[in-house]
Amino acid sequence: MSAVIEVRNLHKRYGSKVAVDDVSLTVREGEILGVLGPNGAGKSTTVESIAGLRTPDRGSIRVLGLDPLRDRASLTRQLGVQLQDGQLPARLKVAETLELYSSFYPNPADWRELMSSLGLTAKVPYGKLSGGQKQRLSIALALVGNPRIAILDELTTGLDPQARRDTWELIEGVRARGVTIVLVTHFMEEAERLCDRVALIDAGRVVTVDTPVGLTEQARIEQRVQFRPTRPVDEALFRGLPEVSSVVRRGELVIVTGDANVLNAVTAVLARNQIVAERLRVEQASLEDAYVELTGKRGK
Ligand code: ADP
């Protein structure tokens, strides 16, 4: 897959505060790349530099082969950005805003369709929108130009659970049309559901870039498999496996702990010995666990 965004050795400081400390990233065509990290990690500075909204101190950025600062005009047509605090005139109504923005683009999306899929009401003026509605309008504005790349910063912050799920569906639809998406998020569930790869950023640096599953494996968090065997089983069968770190019994239950592949290893042994596992339960490590492990900080 070809790269549509290439960030090399990006540096940015504000006064004496280093916000981005040598970030390099590649975003492939058609993927959703999540940018995940604690508050103040440098996520917004990084993605806003990609969008040409901030001027880096050092480093190079190419978006669709263009320089976001120098080629801003031609890039704007192909790049949709969800702004964090995009202020609009208070009296401008939702439909007017969308119609106006769609007129800026040569090949806009159907703004009425976007409006309804985001649950927005045409005639409400911007000044009367709730926080969540403003958020949804900002998503619509990022997508109304039918961009090749969309940069979404804190996509679903402030949305209630139903609106969040609806937004995820919308984003999946956008991805299905081949749009490349850079998604800054705090929500592990969002990253797990939407992202093909996740760049974990901490203190202005990229800690790692991997698939959500790869991240949980990297963090080497143990997984636990628990079951009741239909007939007595020799624990040594499991102890000898390279995937397994411990085996304990609790009453009728056998609890096997090990690496990311422990479930496969255990079920293979059971099948070979014709033992059925009843009440089988697996405690899988989540992206949240990986995040805590790799950054030492708790997500939301
Ligand atoms: P994130 O999006 O991960 O929360 P930011 O890129 O917004 O991180 O910020 C990184 C660091 O730079 C933070 O310490 C933040 O306080 C600081 N920072 C961001 N923008 C500015 C600015 N315009 N002026 C001064 N400091 C800033």
Side-chain angles (χ1 to χ4, degrees), residues 14 17-20 37-46 54 153 184:
Y14 303 101
K17 168 85 206 164
V18 177
V20 175
N39 262 330
K43 304 182 296 294
S44 291
T45 303
T46 301
R54 302 211 192 187
D153 195 348
V184 176

Side-chain angles (χ1 to χ4, degrees), residues 113-120 136-137 139-141 143 167 170:
E113 200 180 303
L114 265 179
M115 186 171 70
S116 81
S117 62
L118 281 158
L120 287 160
R136 282 180 271 157
L137 181 60
I139 297 168
L141 293 177
L143 301 174
T167 306
L170 175 79

Side-chain angles (χ1 to χ4, degrees), residues 78-300:
Q78 310 182 70
L79 185 74
V81 186
Q82 180 195 4
L83 293 170
Q84 266 313 288
D85 296 306
Q87 280 298 327
L88 291 161
R91 282 168 41 195
L92 202 61
K93 297 188 173 105
V94 166
E96 291 166 351
T97 311
L98 285 166
E99 192 172 11
L100 175 69
Y101 271 68
S102 74
S103 74
F104 299 157
Y105 299 94
N107 181 26
D110 181 341
W111 62 265
R112 288 182 183 83
E113 200 180 303
L114 265 179
M115 186 171 70
S116 81
S117 62
L118 281 158
L120 287 160
T121 314
K123 296 210 168 106
V124 185
Y126 183 76
K128 292 257 161 66
L129 294 176
S130 70
Q133 288 164 335
K134 281 186 181 157
Q135 179 80 2
R136 282 180 271 157
L137 181 60
S138 73
I139 297 168
L141 293 177
L143 301 174
V144 77
N146 229 347
R148 278 184 68 190
I149 301 175
I151 295 182
L152 308 170
D153 195 348
E154 302 284 343
L155 177 71
T156 59
T157 300
L159 298 188
D160 62 56
Q162 186 56 48
R164 176 169 296 151
R165 262 177 233 116
D166 293 346
T167 306
W168 290 345
E169 265 178 38
L170 175 79
I171 296 303
E172 280 164 345
V174 172
R175 185 226 325 247
R177 293 205 301 273
V179 178
T180 305
I181 297 172
V182 179
L183 176 71
V184 176
T185 184
H186 263 107
F187 298 106
M188 306 301 153
E189 201 190 342
E190 183 162 291
E192 238 161 354
R193 160 128 183 212
L194 292 179
C195 298
D196 299 297
R197 294 188 306 147
V198 173
L200 194 61
I201 296 192
D202 191 24
R205 288 174 171 265
V206 178
V207 178
T208 183
V209 184
D210 206 336
T211 59
V213 170
L215 272 182
T216 59
E217 283 173 6
Q218 261 195 55
R220 295 186 188 284
I221 299 156
E222 300 229 293
Q223 319 252 356
R224 247 160 52 136
V225 181
Q226 172 179 310
F227 58 93
R228 186 173 66 184
T230 44
R231 54 191 183 78
V233 53
D234 181 2
E235 287 169 30
L237 286 174
F238 304 116
R239 285 225 166 79
L241 299 171
E243 294 87 352
V244 169
S245 55
S246 80
V247 185
V248 293
R249 262 178 205 277
R250 195 183 299 144
E252 298 180 298
L253 293 177
V254 178
I255 301 164
V256 185
T257 308
D259 69 17
N261 299 316
V262 69
L263 177 63
N264 284 342
V266 168
T267 47
V269 166
L270 291 171
R272 246 194 330 272
N273 292 278
Q274 284 153 6
I275 299 168
V276 175
E278 291 179 333
R279 289 167 57 195
L280 178 70
R281 229 178 66 198
V282 186
E283 279 172 28
Q284 291 252 325
S286 67
L287 192 55
E288 166 85 36
D289 299 324
Y291 178 88
V292 173
E293 190 70 25
L294 295 168
T295 67
K297 292 163 189 127
R298 207 142 268 292
K300 270 190 205 157

